[in-house]
Amino acid sequence: MEAAAATAVLKVLVQKLIDLPMKEISQIRGFRKNAEKLAGSLDMIQKFLHNAEMRAITSDAAVKCWLKKLEDVAFDADNVLDDINYHILSKQIKATKPMKAKILSGFSSSVNSIARPRNMAVRIKKINKNLESIKKEATDLGLVVRLAIANEPTLVDASLETDSYTRDPIFIGRDDAVSEIVRTLINGIKTDERAVSILPIVGMGGLGKTTLTRKVFNCLKDESRFGSHLWVHVSPNFDAITLFKKILNNLTSCQVEIASREDILAKLKEALKDKTYLLVLDDVWNQDGLKWEDFMNSFSGVSCVKGNAIIVTTRNMEVASIVNTLHIHELKGLSKEECWSIIKVKAFGKKDVPSEFKAIGRKIARRCQGLPLAANIVGGVLRNKSEEKWRSVEEKWLSADEGGDNITNILRLSFDNLSLPSLKKCLAYCAMFPKGSKISKWKLIEMWMAEGFLQADERDEMESVGEKFINILLHNSLLQVSKRDDDGNVKKCGMHDLVHDLACSVSSSSNSTGGSSRVRYMTLEDNYCSDESSGIPKEMAKSLRTLLITSKADISDINFSDLESLHVLHLHSEVLNELPSSIRKLIHLRDFDISKTRIEVLPDWIGEFFHLQTLRVEAGWLRKLPSTIKYLINLRHLYIDWRVELPMGIGRLTSLQTLTHFPVGDENGCKIEELGSLNNLKGEVRIWKLERVHDKEEAGKANLFKKSKILKLCMKWDPRREGERNDEDVLEGLQPHSHLRELVIDEFNGKRFPLWTRKMAVRHMPGGSWVVLNNLMSLSLIRCREFEEIPMLGHLPNLKSLQLHELSNLKYINSSFYGMVNKDTRIVFPALEKFTLEDMPMLAEWAEIEISDGSEVKLFPRLRYLEIENCKQLMSVPSHVSSCLEELSIVKIGVECLSADWLLSNSETLSNLTISYCTNLREILSNRWGEEESEGRSFRITSLPIFPRLKDLYILHVPKLSLETVDAMRRLQIDGYKRIDP
């Protein structure tokens, strides 16, 4: 499998080299013949690789050695071509506009070594000579030229596999275990005299311990059983101080900058205070009882409150026996039918399983030996495959004679089944991350891109290819979802420990945390550089292409100029406040991340990184980017903090796809028209300081209406501005594209919104027909203190979230708010799930919907969360609502009588009810009471049993409302009466 991965690496690299030589080298006089020879050699090598892959799988040692030699030469060739391309780019940039003398001198120092034709000729001739030797060795080994098969997988074929499920892996057969563990924990806390109850979950790798524990964790979190909920991946190195740091980082969401044990424990005590906690220690290997006692003796002292719990997951029963446990939960395997159920869902989704697949599938399920990881992975392998392929998988798995257990065999099968060599390489690359890491999806894609693993075609950009690769690996359970955003999109990924072991085995010397001289990808953690360390050995440094430096790793001994092949550099060193000048030599750099540093100023030589694709400088210390940023013509993603000032000429970066913040400047070259040429922008864009835009015409130069890939747009004015205000005119010119999904308008001080905002429809082209913002999912109107009328919104078919905050001058929410209600519109706000109205001191009336023909209309049919807060003049709210509300919060409003229909219409779904500081509220009335019709009957709290899901009830500081208490809720607080269950 190691050799198969090596051929995957080389196929990606060699194809990249084949695509480049004629284009790059032939631009330099006298190099055409060298380019032709290099291209011919690479083409021949590629044909040998098809045969080498088959030979390597049989563990042919000579072929493996040949592959390693070829890998070294291929990477050398990649560096040479990159150097030449850098030289060409520098000439192009110099030709466009003369640069300052010191920048020019910087270019010459970086480029001189490669700019001389003689030097480049020598390097290419050497590579050609080495390739000739490798071709001869291939012939001596008996490798034959084998043409690529015509129907070999392509990216298009791979993209058909991009489905992924809402939760991964699929959770089947463990519901009883979740209930049992929750019950054991809760009962144990009540009866255990100790401050902390400990429950280990024991089981072999692949059995689903972490997935099960995550379900328990989220169940207890949803029920608010504990004050703090902490999750820490332990890994084989059980070190008390490291664990205390991780727990503190979890509590405070920031990196710990203190080193001493005493200080960390003091901070932990302060963070926990009087709160109970649930702590998960995932994947514990420590069998040293003294280490465990040392950890627990210290950690028990940070909280004086009883009722805490620790869940430990481990593969080893001896580990469970030393933790002084409440109860040991030994996880059993799933049944054959449960494994088959997972395979069915993974392979067929919700479709019926054809009868010819059932018998084969059950045989495969038996081979899973009760391991849900195996079932998830093999199900991914079998998706969209023929009956013949299913039989092949069954036979290959049953006849596996390479040793190892079934989980190893199925992991190997899943790896071999990946459609493209570049997919295999992307998986192998992930071995660089420590076990238990949560990897940002977009960071990972950008790193793959920087390494050249994502080759775009006419249909797809590299980023799109990367997303498809992520989805394929997720579907095959080779990656797992660690975190999603509010819309369900994957934010972070992780790897199961066994998959991480697979990635390490297939990556061989290409990925490592140290040791080999041919390390390509490396992560330096806190404990890498000791007092005796002298940094990274020079010979190792020469071949490094990715270097990730985390937390407090000491970089003082690293000579960055030795890292001559580096493509990816992430400096997450909290003590770093200045970039080492030796970084300037890294001309191959494509991904540079210095977000978690204290750097306040970037040097001008940053503009020499012509290959750079991704720059992350989200550090809170940085305030301004250097003017030379505009020379980074290949920059695709620029991540900056909102306080960072952009330099002149940012509009020259026409490859930019990500520009998280754009503060409008006063000077030419900094104005909003710089956005006009950035036609590839996508995702989220926040435009600040719009008071600096003079009129509609100037705003229109941003060409937002043409930027169809911008999905989230935030437009903000400065509240402290002085002078004439032209917000209405400017907003008119900032009309977005109709594909927009999220819109935030902040500190707008016009009295009326422009036409496109009032109608929530935009002109397809200037002067063209109106197109409704049908894709809009979220709208926030914040601190718009002057305007007087809410836009028409009820007709938007996909609007899920609506926030109205601090609209100081708004007096009425009129019936126009609901949009046009007619015979064609019978559902108003059809998708709205969350609606908040906050801090509107003048709001007096929220009008009922007007229905002219008397027919039935559904209003807010999907609304789950409603919050009305600090609207003290509000004397009426509509009573016409549909039913699925889960949370209702009414705080500081002026109504005297509240319609109980908000409650009774949602009696089956309401789980959280808060009514507080409504000092005028006298009664809650309803025209219906259960099945009875009794006009004017007052709602009484004693009837709360009709709310079967109500967990939390808070009715506070409502002095005129007469209530009787009940004892039916988990959390109940009614003025003087308070009960909160543990």
Side-chain angles (χ1 to χ4, degrees), residues 658-661 682-686 710-714:
T658 301
L659 180 61
T660 48
H661 300 280
K682 65 180 183 180
E684 178 179 355
V685 177
R686 294 177 175 268
I710 293 180
L711 303 180
K712 179 174 181 178
L713 182 61
C714 175

Side-chain angles (χ1 to χ4, degrees), residues 89 163 268 336 416 553 641 663 702 780 784 877:
L89 287 171
D163 296 55
L268 271 174
K336 181 187 76 173
D416 292 340
D641 187 83
S780 298
C784 302
V877 296

Side-chain angles (χ1 to χ4, degrees), residues 40 132 254 259 300 440 479 584 679 682 694 745 774 787 841 864:
E132 285 296 325
C254 64
S300 298
S440 165
L479 289 180
R584 183 177 189 172
N679 292 321
K682 65 180 183 180
H694 296 103
I745 300 175
N774 280 341
F787 89 100
R864 296 189 297 110

Side-chain angles (χ1 to χ4, degrees), residues 386-405:
S386 64
E387 182 184 354
E388 181 183 359
K389 178 65 177 177
W390 278 54
R391 292 190 185 281
S392 171
V393 167
E394 178 204 353
E395 292 164 6
K396 190 181 295 186
W397 198 356
L398 288 170
S399 63
D401 56 2
E402 296 179 20
D405 55 25

Side-chain angles (χ1 to χ4, degrees), residues 734-750:
L734 293 175
Q735 172 187 298
H737 194 278
S738 61
H739 289 173
L740 195 69
R741 293 184 186 174
E742 296 185 51
L743 176 62
V744 178
I745 300 175
D746 191 356
E747 299 286 358
F748 171 81
N749 272 352

Side-chain angles (χ1 to χ4, degrees), residues 11-37:
K11 283 181 177 179
V12 174
L13 189 55
V14 170
Q15 185 60 55
K16 176 185 173 185
L17 295 175
I18 288 171
D19 293 341
L20 285 176
M22 290 300 293
K23 180 175 71 175
E24 308 296 355
I25 303 177
S26 60
Q27 293 189 47
I28 302 175
R29 202 161 86 187
F31 279 72
R32 188 172 185 83
K33 286 186 178 179
N34 285 309
E36 289 173 349
K37 187 173 182 180

Side-chain angles (χ1 to χ4, degrees), residues 387-583:
E387 182 184 354
E388 181 183 359
K389 178 65 177 177
W390 278 54
R391 292 190 185 281
S392 171
V393 167
E394 178 204 353
E395 292 164 6
K396 190 181 295 186
W397 198 356
L398 288 170
S399 63
D401 56 2
E402 296 179 20
D405 55 25
N406 277 301
I407 191 70
T408 302
N409 291 336
I410 194 57
L411 284 169
R412 182 183 291 114
L413 177 65
S414 184
F415 176 81
D416 292 340
N417 187 69
L418 292 176
S419 310
L420 299 172
S422 47
L423 255 175
K424 294 178 180 179
K425 182 54 192 165
C426 287
L427 177 66
Y429 184 81
C430 294
M432 171 182 55
F433 301 103
K435 282 186 176 180
S437 295
K438 294 180 179 179
I439 313 162
S440 165
K441 168 187 157 181
W442 279 112
K443 281 189 178 182
L444 183 56
I445 289 172
E446 288 158 6
M447 292 163 76
W448 286 345
M449 185 172 72
E451 287 290 351
F453 303 153
L454 307 178
Q455 297 302 310
D457 57 24
E458 293 180 358
R459 287 183 52 187
D460 293 305
E461 296 174 324
M462 290 186 287
E463 291 82 0
S464 178
V465 175
E467 278 203 276
K468 290 178 179 180
F469 279 13
I470 290 280
N471 285 335
I472 292 170
L473 294 174
L474 283 172
H475 179 78
N476 285 278
S477 296
L478 296 173
L479 289 180
Q480 295 180 347
V481 178
S482 295
K483 187 176 181 180
R484 295 179 183 269
D485 63 20
D486 293 340
D487 296 323
N489 301 309
V490 176
K491 285 191 71 174
K492 291 187 177 182
C493 303
M495 298 179 81
H496 191 282
D497 284 356
L498 293 177
V499 179
H500 191 277
D501 293 341
L502 166 76
C504 289
S505 69
V506 301
S507 62
S508 183
S509 63
S510 291
N511 295 351
S512 180
T513 54
S516 170
S517 63
R518 282 294 182 180
V519 176
R520 308 283 180 194
Y521 318 114
M522 176 185 284
T523 299
L524 298 187
E525 297 183 84
D526 288 10
N527 55 358
Y528 177 82
C529 296
S530 63
D531 293 338
E532 297 78 23
S533 173
S534 57
I536 302 171
K538 187 170 184 177
E539 193 59 34
M540 181 188 291
K542 285 176 61 177
S543 59
L544 269 179
R545 291 170 65 93
T546 291
L547 177 60
L548 311 182
I549 300 177
T550 65
S551 195
K552 288 191 174 181
D554 182 13
I555 68 168
S556 60
D557 290 328
I558 298 176
N559 184 1
F560 286 96
S561 58
D562 291 339
L563 303 167
E564 56 189 46
S565 301
L566 210 62
H567 282 53
V568 178
L569 176 59
H570 290 189
L571 290 175
H572 292 174
S573 178
E574 301 160 2
V575 297
L576 188 65
N577 54 30
E578 184 179 358
L579 284 182
S581 59
S582 56
I583 289 177

Side-chain angles (χ1 to χ4, degrees), residues 68-323:
K68 287 196 176 295
K69 290 179 183 178
L70 177 56
E71 180 184 60
D72 291 342
V73 176
F75 276 118
D76 288 343
D78 184 51
N79 284 340
V80 173
L81 296 176
D82 219 31
D83 287 345
I84 293 169
N85 191 29
Y86 182 89
H87 172 63
I88 294 165
L89 287 171
S90 69
K91 288 171 64 177
Q92 291 174 353
I93 290 170
K94 287 181 187 179
T96 58
K97 186 176 181 181
M99 305 168 91
K100 293 179 181 178
K102 68 175 182 178
I103 305 301
L104 283 169
S105 65
F107 285 161
S108 61
S109 67
S110 298
V111 179
N112 273 345
S113 61
I114 64 167
R116 298 187 188 95
R118 177 175 300 199
N119 287 350
M120 289 188 280
V122 169
R123 295 172 73 186
I124 294 172
K125 284 179 180 178
K126 183 179 178 182
I127 288 167
N128 278 330
K129 183 178 178 180
N130 289 336
L131 286 173
E132 285 296 325
S133 173
I134 285 171
K135 284 198 301 182
K136 182 179 181 303
E137 190 175 343
T139 304
D140 294 342
L141 286 170
L143 294 175
V144 298
V145 172
R146 179 173 171 265
L147 296 176
I149 302 170
N151 62 352
E152 260 190 66
T154 63
L155 176 60
V156 175
D157 295 329
S159 70
L160 297 175
E161 303 175 28
T162 59
D163 296 55
S164 61
Y165 293 93
T166 303
R167 289 290 175 264
D168 187 84
I170 296 163
F171 191 80
I172 287 175
R174 299 292 195 203
D175 291 330
D176 289 345
V178 171
S179 300
E180 180 186 340
I181 292 169
V182 169
R183 185 168 57 250
T184 302
L185 268 178
I186 299 305
N187 290 339
I189 288 170
K190 291 178 179 178
T191 58
D192 200 338
E193 292 298 318
R194 297 172 299 177
V196 185
S197 299
I198 305 169
L199 189 150
I201 299 175
V202 186
M204 66 180 291
L207 205 51
K209 300 182 296 297
T210 300
T211 304
L212 171 68
T213 305
R214 190 176 294 116
K215 288 282 184 181
V216 171
F217 184 83
N218 288 330
C219 177
L220 292 168
K221 192 173 184 179
D222 290 342
E223 293 185 1
S224 302
R225 291 280 182 180
F226 299 91
S228 295
H229 301 80
L230 313 166
W231 185 292
V232 173
H233 186 274
V234 178
S235 80
N237 181 26
F238 189 94
D239 175 70
I241 293 181
T242 301
L243 289 178
F244 294 146
K245 281 185 181 180
K246 287 183 177 181
I247 294 167
L248 185 54
N249 290 341
N250 207 316
L251 275 167
T252 60
S253 300
C254 64
Q255 293 297 313
V256 179
E257 298 182 15
I258 45 181
S260 78
R261 181 179 182 128
E262 187 70 22
D263 285 344
I264 294 171
L265 290 171
K267 290 286 185 182
L268 271 174
K269 188 168 186 176
E270 181 184 341
L272 284 171
K273 292 183 180 176
D274 297 328
K275 294 187 291 187
T276 57
Y277 61 81
L278 169 64
L279 170 64
V280 172
L281 297 176
D282 188 33
D283 195 27
V284 177
W285 290 78
N286 171 56
Q287 298 182 42
D288 187 336
L290 293 177
K291 282 188 176 181
W292 176 259
E293 286 181 19
D294 176 54
F295 168 76
M296 281 305 303
N297 287 339
S298 294
F299 191 64
S300 298
V302 302
S303 175
C304 57
V305 180
K306 287 189 176 183
N308 305 300
I310 296 178
I311 300 176
V312 174
T313 73
T314 179
R315 300 187 199 180
N316 195 322
M317 187 61 78
E318 289 184 33
V319 173
S321 66
I322 69 167
V323 299

